Amino acid sequence: MNIIILGAPGAGKGTQSEFLIQTFALEHLSTGDMLRAEIAAGSDLGKQAKSIMDAGDLVSDEIVIGMIRNRLTDKGMLFDGFPRTLAQAEALDALLQENNMQVDHVLLLEVENNEIIERMLARGRTDDNEEAIRNRLKVYDKQTSPLVDYYRKQDKLLRVCGVGDVQEISRQIRKLIEG
Ligand code: AMP
């Protein structure tokens, strides 16, 4: 089973991803974590990505698609923070298809913008200053939110309210996935 967790930055994707990988024994593929690991390692890719990430913009499709391609496994996977553009979504469908796999469910964690800004300011990452946050929300609306329609049309979208008790949200996610 392959799952995508979708939602604005700060919607709680990281937290619910932990729950999902444990509950359904999934391989966690987070492009944000992979990019932060590149930065920590001081690689050329990391150096290129850092200023883009600090500004809240998107790293190029080629780079993130390449990272995902290298990490595909035939275990169930949880895609966290990927895809973020239609081009990435189409590339993922193609990559999975080549390997006789598919996306099974797309969980959309829904949280309003005001709540998101408050949460992110409390989190304190280097890309969590207010200007970068506003830009990331703008980028999400423009580039990533079209994916909601993309997966709705494929009949894969599961909507979850991302506000409230974390464990209650997890319970709802589990119910939706187990159908
Ligand atoms: P995240 O940890 O998922 O919030 O990602 C942090 C930052 O990494 C984002 O603001 C982007 O700059 C970059 N990033 C992560 N995943 C992607 C992706 N799929 N496409 C482009 N940029 C990404």
Side-chain angles (χ1 to χ4, degrees), residues 31-32 35-36 53 57-59 64 81-82 84 88 125:
T31 42
L35 289 164
R36 282 184 288 276
M53 291 168 71
D57 290 320
L58 294 186
V59 173
V64 291
F82 179 94
R84 259 179 161 94
Q88 291 176 23
R125 245 163 50 181

Side-chain angles (χ1 to χ4, degrees), residues 9-10 13 30-33 35-36 49 52-54 56-61 64 67 80-85 88 123 125 127 136:
K13 296 192 297 292
S30 158
T31 42
D33 285 351
L35 289 164
R36 282 184 288 276
I52 298 171
M53 291 168 71
D54 281 345
D57 290 320
L58 294 186
V59 173
S60 77
D61 288 336
V64 291
M67 291 193 313
D80 167 12
F82 179 94
R84 259 179 161 94
T85 64
Q88 291 176 23
R123 195 165 70 171
R125 245 163 50 181
D127 56 351
R136 278 153 75 195

Side-chain angles (χ1 to χ4, degrees), residues 47-100:
K47 282 177 194 143
Q48 260 183 290
K50 184 169 183 354
S51 56
I52 298 171
M53 291 168 71
D54 281 345
D57 290 320
L58 294 186
V59 173
S60 77
D61 288 336
E62 291 68 30
I63 288 178
V64 291
I65 291 165
M67 291 193 313
I68 288 289
R69 183 186 289 118
N70 290 334
R71 297 279 297 269
L72 284 186
T73 80
D74 50 12
K75 274 185 61 178
M77 292 173 279
L78 175 70
F79 298 94
D80 167 12
F82 179 94
R84 259 179 161 94
T85 64
L86 275 175
Q88 291 176 23
E90 286 164 2
L92 179 61
D93 278 347
L95 272 175
L96 291 175
Q97 213 163 30
E98 281 164 25
N99 294 283
N100 294 315

Side-chain angles (χ1 to χ4, degrees), residues 94-147:
L95 272 175
L96 291 175
Q97 213 163 30
E98 281 164 25
N99 294 283
N100 294 315
M101 297 187 280
Q102 61 167 7
V103 173
D104 296 292
H105 303 291
V106 180
L107 270 172
L108 174 64
L109 269 180
E110 298 187 290
V111 179
E112 283 188 357
N113 278 4
N114 288 345
E115 165 91 13
I116 281 184
I117 291 172
E118 261 177 53
R119 286 186 189 184
M120 290 170 95
L121 286 172
R123 195 165 70 171
R125 245 163 50 181
T126 65
D127 56 351
D128 280 346
N129 61 79
E130 191 153 352
E131 200 186 325
I133 292 171
R134 287 194 189 284
N135 191 41
R136 278 153 75 195
L137 288 173
K138 212 164 71 189
V139 167
Y140 178 81
D141 282 340
K142 232 179 143 158
Q143 310 215 56
T144 309
S145 67
L147 299 189

